[in-house]
Amino acid sequence: MPDPVHAAPRRLADVDPRHLAVEGLWAAIGVALATAAVGLLKETAPVVSLGVLYVVPVLLVATRAGVGLGIATSVLSIAAYNWWELPPVHRFTIDDSRHWAALAVLLIVAVVSARIAEAGRREAQRADRARREADLVADLTTIVLTPRGVASALPEAAARLGDHLGAAVEVLPWDPQQAPERSRPAGVLVLDGPDGPVGLLRWTGPLDARDEAALASRVAPALGAVVAAGVERERLAREAVEAAALRRSNEVATTLLRTVGHDLRTPITQISVAAAALGAASATDEERDELAAGILEGSDRLAGLIGKLLDLSRLEAGAAAPHPDDVPLDDVVRDALQEMEATHPEAASVRVETEDPPPRARVDPVQIARIVVNLVENALIHGRDRSTGRADVLVRVASRRGLAVVRVVDGGPGLAPGGRDELFLPFRRGGAAAGPGSGLGLAIARGFAEANGGTLRAESYPGQGTAFVLELPPAETGGDVRTDGPAPRPRADGPPTRPRPVPPTDPEERP
């Protein structure tokens, strides 16, 4: 396809008739003005020398309308010059042979000037088209290489290209099943990238030959390169995300081996040593009972740790979808504490306070029970009173601001002002890496809370204990109507121990 930049000069047949009529009128006016100027100046200068004035309308017309009309203007200028100024006037004959030379020179100068003007006009048009195409490619690059993605940006790119061409344009991602023939049917272009096709360009309606040539030779290849760059950037971004995820997975695996390895070896060693000692012939019945109890204790510890690891893996894999139901929170809390008593005898000393009627929540009761177990277990381990060595734990169930709230309060030393969110990261143990526990319970608790549409946070003041606040969405049916009669408010379970409460942030929760 020919390059429109180096297209041939426009001929009279290529010009719109109405435009040709207007330019012809301007040519006639220019020739008339030049004739009048020669008539005014011929008293002060030779007529033969004044013929150069006819070059002016020739240049103007050739610049505006092309070389064809410029040559026609030069012929009209010679005719007017001969008719009005060269003797004998008002006749197309010449008495002096020297005037023939003047007319020939005038014609040659006019034609050459028209060609030069046409070349300048075409060069100006070429520069303007190149500038507009450069602006178009720059706009397309900005549109396609946006963070929202190539596929989302293609409709906007098509709209910008359609504004440039004055036609309806569609830019589509490459689909090999809908690929056109390489012979390029009318209105279709394949956008090629460095590694093959990346898109398809379609338009409806006729295009100017020069616009279609520029589209095929310059704009479409540039757009294809931009789309290919965007697709490659998205691929690299995906690979970077996958690499980061793999790196985090490796870090988690390394941390798991370093942190949980000791916790796994301890119960395994306990079980293996006790099992070996059971086979000793010298072991008494009392010692055998003690060894069997040690095996059971080690098995429970190992099962609990493995259960936490499985919970964490399900949460990180997004496979811990809750099965919500409308449940009374106080029953969930008591069931969780009763389950704990088998492995944590101190759970029997945990006090429970609840409103009447107790709040109901739309949650998965199994997952909420796991949260309560992990929070109470954390309080029993880390919330001991330094002066007495006892673990004073209070669980308060209430409704606040339209939410069902469970607060687990301990009487320990409290938390430092900063870094509370880090407590909910896996393998964190309250800043004491060598302390008891696996460092998984709080991370699992927050994961289950968020999976059920709730939140979990820590509140604490140094020296005044710690409270973990679990906020859950309320049940759709509202509060529960108790059938066993009213209960005291608040209701407390467990021995009459009173932990040092954490100053609550909600004024309604102050005791």
Side-chain angles (χ1 to χ4, degrees):
M1 188 173 289
D3 187 348
V5 171
H6 304 289
R10 289 197 298 178
R11 298 168 299 175
L12 291 178
D14 300 330
V15 183
D16 181 76
R18 289 175 297 179
H19 180 70
L20 181 62
V22 172
E23 296 298 335
L25 178 60
W26 282 111
I29 293 174
V31 171
L33 292 175
T35 302
V38 171
L40 292 175
L41 296 175
K42 65 182 179 180
E43 299 298 333
T44 58
V47 173
V48 176
S49 302
L50 295 176
V52 70
L53 295 177
Y54 288 98
V55 176
V56 176
V58 173
L59 287 174
L60 294 176
V61 172
T63 303
R64 288 172 54 88
V67 66
L69 193 56
I71 294 176
T73 304
S74 65
V75 173
L76 179 61
S77 299
I78 292 173
Y81 187 39
N82 184 18
W83 179 266
W84 293 103
E85 305 300 339
L86 296 180
V89 295
H90 303 153
R91 294 177 60 186
F92 289 111
T93 59
I94 298 177
D95 293 340
D96 192 342
S97 59
R98 292 175 300 176
H99 292 166
W100 283 108
L103 290 177
V105 171
L106 176 59
L107 179 61
I108 293 173
V109 170
V111 171
V112 171
S113 299
R115 298 288 296 187
I116 294 174
E118 169 70 11
R121 184 184 65 84
R122 288 192 292 114
E123 183 65 22
Q125 289 180 345
R126 186 201 68 80
D128 181 67
R129 293 178 69 88
R131 178 189 59 79
R132 292 191 294 113
E133 289 176 9
D135 292 342
L136 173 65
V137 172
D139 291 343
L140 293 177
T141 302
T142 302
I143 293 171
V144 173
L145 298 181
T146 54
R148 59 183 173 176
V150 174
S152 301
L154 289 183
E156 185 179 350
R160 174 64 179 90
L161 190 56
D163 291 340
H164 178 81
L165 297 174
V169 176
E170 188 178 17
V171 182
L172 304 173
W174 178 250
D175 185 358
Q177 297 180 353
Q178 300 179 358
E181 297 294 335
R182 277 294 180 172
S183 57
R184 196 173 68 79
V188 178
L189 277 176
V190 176
L191 302 178
D192 289 318
D195 299 325
V198 294
L200 202 63
L201 175 62
R202 294 175 179 169
W203 67 91
T204 57
L207 293 181
D208 183 86
R210 288 171 295 183
D211 288 337
E212 187 171 353
L215 185 65
S217 61
R218 291 186 294 277
V219 177
L223 180 58
V226 171
V227 172
V231 171
E232 179 67 12
R233 187 182 67 171
E234 292 179 357
R235 184 187 67 81
L236 294 176
R238 288 193 300 269
E239 291 182 355
V241 171
E242 293 173 358
L246 181 60
R247 184 174 62 254
R248 288 194 299 270
S249 177
N250 292 335
E251 292 174 355
V252 170
T254 302
T255 305
L256 177 63
L257 293 175
R258 292 177 178 175
T259 307
V260 185
H262 172 73
D263 295 325
L264 287 173
R265 285 193 299 269
T266 300
I268 291 174
T269 302
Q270 180 181 0
I271 294 171
S272 61
V273 171
L278 278 175
S282 59
T284 65
D285 292 341
E286 183 179 353
E287 291 174 341
R288 291 179 186 276
D289 292 340
E290 185 178 347
L291 291 172
I295 291 176
L296 290 176
E297 180 184 355
S299 299
D300 291 337
R301 290 179 60 185
L302 185 61
L305 181 58
I306 293 175
K308 289 182 178 181
L309 291 174
L310 291 176
D311 288 341
L312 183 63
S313 64
R314 283 195 296 267
L315 286 169
E316 291 185 344
H323 301 283
D325 192 10
D326 291 351
V327 294
L329 274 185
D330 61 330
D331 290 347
V332 175
V333 170
R334 288 186 177 85
D335 291 343
L337 293 177
Q338 186 175 2
E339 178 187 350
M340 285 187 66
E341 291 180 9
T343 56
H344 295 79
E346 287 182 298
S349 66
V350 176
R351 302 173 65 234
V352 179
E353 294 182 356
T354 182
E355 288 183 345
D356 181 36
R360 298 180 67 93
R362 180 72 176 173
V363 292
D364 185 328
V366 176
Q367 293 184 355
I368 301 306
R370 293 298 304 161
I371 296 175
V372 173
V373 169
N374 289 349
L375 294 181
V376 172
E377 183 182 60
N378 179 81
L380 292 174
I381 294 175
H382 300 286
R384 295 183 178 274
D385 191 325
R386 290 181 177 177
S387 60
T388 64
R390 294 184 306 174
D392 296 335
V393 180
L394 169 67
V395 180
R396 182 180 299 160
V397 183
S399 296
R400 292 293 181 267
R401 303 187 186 91
L403 299 174
V405 181
V406 177
R407 295 172 62 90
V408 179
V409 185
D410 64 52
L415 300 174
R420 294 180 185 177
D421 282 340
E422 295 182 359
L423 293 174
F424 299 97
L425 297 177
F427 313 114
R428 297 300 175 96
R429 303 182 182 181
S438 62
L440 299 175
L442 295 181
I444 295 171
R446 173 170 278 186
F448 280 148
E450 294 176 349
N452 283 270
T455 60
L456 178 61
R457 68 179 187 275
E459 295 179 355
S460 179
Y461 293 90
Q464 298 183 9
T466 303
F468 287 93
V469 184
L470 172 64
E471 296 179 336
L472 298 170
E476 298 176 357
T477 57
D480 182 29
V481 178
R482 301 184 64 90
T483 60
D484 56 352
R489 182 182 181 187
R491 186 173 73 246
D493 300 319
T497 58
R498 182 175 181 81
R500 291 175 295 175
V502 178
T505 57
D506 186 351
E508 297 181 5
E509 296 184 6
R510 295 187 182 277

